[in-house]
Amino acid sequence: MILLANSEAWPGFSKSVELLKAGRHGIDAMVAGIGEVEREVKVRSVGFGGWPNMLGRMEFDAGVMDGTTRQVGAVGAVPDTLPVAALAHEVMKRLPHVMLTGEGARRFATEIGFPHDETLYEESKRVWWERLEKELSAEELARFPNIPLAPLSRTITDPERVRDTTVFLSRDSAAGLNVVTSTSGWAWKYPGRLGDSPIPGAGFYADSRFGAAACTHTGEMTMRCGTARSIVLAMRLGHSLDDAVALAIEELCELKDGFLAGVVIHALDAHGNHKVVSLNCDEQIKYWFWDESLSEPEHRVAQSFKS
Ligand code: ASP
C-alpha cells in the first residue's frame, strides 16, 4: 500500500493511511482524509480556508478516479459545500454522468442530504475586499459588482501567492491505483472558472494497470497539455515513470503563450515507484509519502526543474 499527497494534505494524511491499513478502498480512504483538509481553516487553498472568486464567493472543484474501473466523478464551481471530494465521489456512484457544476452540483448535494455549509472565512473576505479596494476606483467600488470583471482578471487574480489544491494518490490493499483532488482554485478567479482539479486527464488520472498522476498549481497549463493522462498513457506505451514525467514536462515547456507559471506533478507507477517534480516554482515544494515500510508518513522534498 502507498499514499502520496501534496504538502497541504497534513490534516488528513494520517487518517487516510489508517483507513488504507484497515483495508478500505483507496477512494474511501482518501475522501475521508481530504474531508479533514477541507474543514481545516489553516489550509489556505482548499475548503473553508480557501480564497473566494472575484465576487467574494467560494466556488470549489474536486475529482475522484478509480483506476481499476476508470470510473470518474467530478464537481466544479460548487457553492455552499465543503466536502466536495465526497460530493464528486457521490456523482461517480449515483449518476450516469461524470461531472456536475455550479447550481446543478449544489442541487444534487441537497438531494442526497449534504447540508448547506458556511464556506467564506471572515479573514478571506477581509483580504478579498482590501485587494479590490486597492485595484478599483471609488466609482467602480460604488458600482461593484456591476462592473466588467474581465479586465480585473489580468490584475487581481493572484495565482502565485494564494492558490493550491490538495491531491491524494494511493495504491490500496487490492493494488488499485486511485486519485482524489479538492481545491478552491485560484484566488479572485473569474466566477465560473474551472481549474484542472475537476478535469480528468488534466488534473488527475489513474489506471491501476500502469499508474496514476495528479497536478497542482497552474491548471491553465495542465488542461492544455492533458498532463495527467499523458503520464499514464506514456507508461502504458512502455515508458518508465521517470520518462513519462519527463515527457509531460517537455509538453508543458513547449507552451510559449497564454498564462504560464509553475506546475507540480505527483505520479505513481504500478510497481510501487513514485515521483514528485515541480516545474518553474519559486518555492521549495514538499510532499507526503507513506508506504508499508514506513512507520510514519514522511514529508519529503520534491525534485525541482526550471525551464
Ligand atoms: N491547479 C489548481 C487550479 O488550477 C490550483 C493549484 O493547485 O494551485 O485550480
Side-chain angles (χ1 to χ4, degrees):
M1 285 174 283
I2 294 174
L3 184 65
L4 170 66
N6 67 329
S7 228
E8 273 67 17
W10 60 267
F13 194 86
S14 299
K15 180 172 199 163
S16 295
V17 168
E18 290 314 313
L19 292 171
L20 283 173
K21 280 190 197 161
R24 294 282 295 276
H25 189 281
I27 295 185
D28 292 332
M30 295 189 288
V31 164
I34 284 192
E36 302 291 320
V37 186
E38 290 165 335
R39 278 188 291 276
E40 175 55 68
V41 73
K42 290 196 212 86
V43 177
R44 302 300 271 133
S45 52
V46 178
F48 190 60
W51 300 98
N53 68 15
M54 255 186 231
L55 297 176
R57 298 194 192 121
M58 300 301 295
E59 290 183 333
F60 301 107
D61 303 337
V64 308
M65 183 157 186
D66 181 325
T68 302
T69 60
R70 257 90 71 220
Q71 281 230 77
V72 171
V75 291
V78 190
D80 305 327
T81 315
L82 287 180
V84 274
L87 187 61
H89 196 195
E90 294 301 326
V91 169
M92 183 182 114
K93 289 191 287 192
R94 294 180 193 237
L95 294 176
H97 308 308
V98 160
M99 190 184 303
L100 294 181
T101 61
E103 291 310 320
R106 182 55 244 184
R107 180 194 170 102
F108 171 65
T110 303
E111 270 181 33
I112 62 172
F114 279 48
H116 272 78
D117 293 311
E118 184 50 63
T119 55
L120 183 58
Y121 178 38
E122 220 23 65
E123 174 65 8
S124 305
K125 188 173 170 186
R126 185 186 63 74
V127 175
W128 160 75
W129 187 248
E130 276 178 12
R131 188 79 184 86
L132 285 185
E133 280 179 324
K134 248 193 228 153
E135 208 58 47
L136 299 178
S137 66
E139 196 236 335
E140 285 172 316
L141 278 173
R143 282 196 290 126
F144 189 83
N146 299 317
I147 59 168
L149 298 178
L152 271 183
S153 69
R154 295 248 160 227
T155 52
I156 76 161
T157 301
D158 197 346
E160 283 309 312
R161 220 167 37 86
V162 281
R163 61 139 191 228
D164 216 332
T165 297
T166 195
V167 295
F168 281 50
L169 304 86
S170 68
R171 185 164 78 160
D172 63 18
S173 56
L177 298 180
N178 307 286
V179 188
V180 183
T181 68
S182 178
T183 188
S184 56
W186 282 15
W188 340 137
K189 61 193 174 188
Y190 198 99
R193 177 262 181 188
L194 296 185
D196 58 341
S197 309
I199 309 294
F204 65 100
Y205 199 80
D207 184 326
S208 301
R209 299 167 299 176
F210 307 107
C215 306
T216 64
H217 290 58
T218 312
E220 272 65 6
M221 293 172 68
T222 60
M223 285 190 279
R224 292 166 67 193
C225 293
T227 299
R229 174 71 176 135
S230 278
I231 292 167
V232 177
L233 181 61
M235 289 193 275
R236 180 176 192 149
L237 296 176
H239 292 280
S240 66
L241 175 66
D242 283 359
D243 288 351
V245 172
L247 175 75
I249 288 178
E250 194 181 311
E251 288 180 332
L252 290 164
C253 292
E254 284 163 8
L255 302 177
K256 295 293 176 233
D257 55 7
F259 186 89
L260 304 176
V263 169
V264 184
I265 290 171
H266 308 74
L268 296 175
D269 70 14
H271 311 292
N273 301 304
H274 76 281
K275 195 168 180 73
V276 180
V277 182
S278 77
L279 168 66
N280 294 336
C281 294
D282 294 334
E283 74 280 20
Q284 186 189 62
I285 300 293
K286 295 181 94 174
Y287 66 93
W288 291 99
F289 182 78
W290 171 83
D291 69 13
E292 283 157 295
S293 70
L294 300 171
S295 56
E296 291 292 327
E298 291 187 355
H299 202 200
R300 299 184 177 176
V301 177
Q303 235 176 294
S304 144
F305 183 83
K306 300 256 181 186
S307 66

